[in-house]
Amino acid sequence: MRLVIARCSVDYTGRLNAHLPEATRLLLHKGDGSLLVHSDGGSYKPLNWMSPPCTLTVVEPDQSEGDVVEKWRVTHAKTGDALTVRIYEVLHDSAHELGVDPGLVKDGVESDLQRLLAEQVSVIGDGLTLVRREFPTAIGPVDLLLRNPSGGTVAVEVKRRGDIDGVEQLTRYLELLGRDPHLAPVTGVFAAQEIKPQAKVLAADRGIRCVTLDYDEMKGVDSGAPRLF
């Protein structure tokens, strides 16, 4: 990746035309060929950019361009759109080999919630025991299948954000599981970090209990959120 801080102007021509007048900016030329033009504001969003596949070519400035010391033209291989950067002064120029990025590892996805909940079924209720995670059915796996002390079955659907679709999904599982005499009677629990009000209303109408999960607490981390006892 090449990082250039320079006094420059930028012109985009193609599907639309855009102009950035002369100012000091950060030019990011990545290994995939893309070029991003950043200011010292606007958070992560560039002022302008060219996405790959594209090619950067250094061209000779025209005599009419005055104090331009270097001129870049970045052309998109498929659309022909072009980003022209006129550099008047280079304040910093460096290149860095970043290597292969392993990608973003997300924490708190549904699989993490499901795993933690399987280890802490007491969050759902006292006296429950785990039968199986990803209990198979003809219409898909139930996230958690539990037994209550009286011998009944509890089907748990786990979501990060619970909405109406999740309640409908659990309803279908309950209808199917309830036909199995080895599992009946079957009750349902809809567990999520956040449950939308409409989902709570529908769940109550279907006889499904809602449980809001505190992911930090389940991990053993104090979330700092106030609690009412």
Side-chain angles (χ1 to χ4, degrees):
M1 179 183 291
R2 184 181 177 190
L3 309 175
V4 177
I5 298 175
R7 233 176 4 95
C8 63
S9 64
V10 183
D11 289 279
Y12 193 105
T13 55
R15 293 183 298 269
L16 55 84
N17 294 336
H19 174 69
L20 291 172
E22 182 181 336
T24 302
R25 300 184 177 94
L26 168 64
L27 306 173
L28 232 78
H29 187 219
K30 294 188 176 182
D32 61 5
S34 60
L35 180 73
L36 296 90
V37 181
H38 283 274
S39 66
D40 196 14
S43 186
Y44 64 91
K45 188 175 181 180
L47 297 170
N48 216 326
W49 67 93
M50 183 67 75
S51 301
C54 57
T55 304
L56 187 152
T57 306
V58 179
V59 297
E60 283 293 325
D62 299 333
Q63 291 184 350
S64 61
E65 291 176 312
D67 297 332
V68 175
V69 296
E70 195 168 325
K71 183 176 177 180
W72 299 355
R73 180 167 289 122
V74 186
T75 307
H76 197 276
K78 294 182 179 179
T79 66
D81 289 9
L83 194 67
T84 302
V85 181
R86 294 175 177 86
I87 298 175
Y88 299 91
E89 181 185 8
V90 176
L91 305 176
H92 173 85
D93 189 346
S94 63
H96 308 270
E97 180 59 52
L98 303 186
V100 178
D101 192 277
L104 180 66
V105 179
K106 295 183 179 180
D107 185 28
V109 295
E110 287 175 12
S111 59
D112 294 325
L113 286 170
Q114 184 191 120
R115 174 182 53 79
L116 286 171
L117 196 55
E119 297 169 355
Q120 304 172 45
V121 294
S122 60
V123 171
I124 300 298
D126 294 333
L128 295 171
T129 56
L130 178 67
V131 175
R132 180 171 172 174
R133 288 178 57 188
E134 299 287 338
F135 184 84
T137 76
I139 58 173
V142 178
D143 289 337
L144 298 178
L145 199 71
L146 313 177
R147 284 283 189 188
N148 60 35
S150 61
T153 305
V154 181
V156 184
E157 182 65 24
V158 182
K159 299 290 185 186
R160 288 188 65 240
R161 292 181 177 85
D163 56 20
I164 287 177
D165 288 344
V167 177
E168 293 284 9
Q169 181 181 0
L170 179 54
T171 300
R172 293 192 292 270
Y173 290 145
L174 293 173
E175 290 175 353
L176 186 64
L177 294 171
R179 300 174 195 165
D180 187 336
H182 296 96
L183 299 176
V186 183
T187 57
V189 172
F190 190 53
Q193 287 181 272
E194 175 188 344
I195 303 176
K196 294 183 178 179
Q198 301 93 325
K200 290 182 179 180
V201 171
L202 182 61
D205 184 68
R206 303 282 173 84
I208 295 170
R209 185 162 61 91
C210 290
V211 174
T212 302
L213 303 175
D214 186 329
Y215 181 64
D216 286 335
E217 186 176 279
M218 292 169 68
K219 286 198 305 178
V221 177
D222 185 1
S223 64
R227 295 189 182 94
L228 296 178
F229 294 93

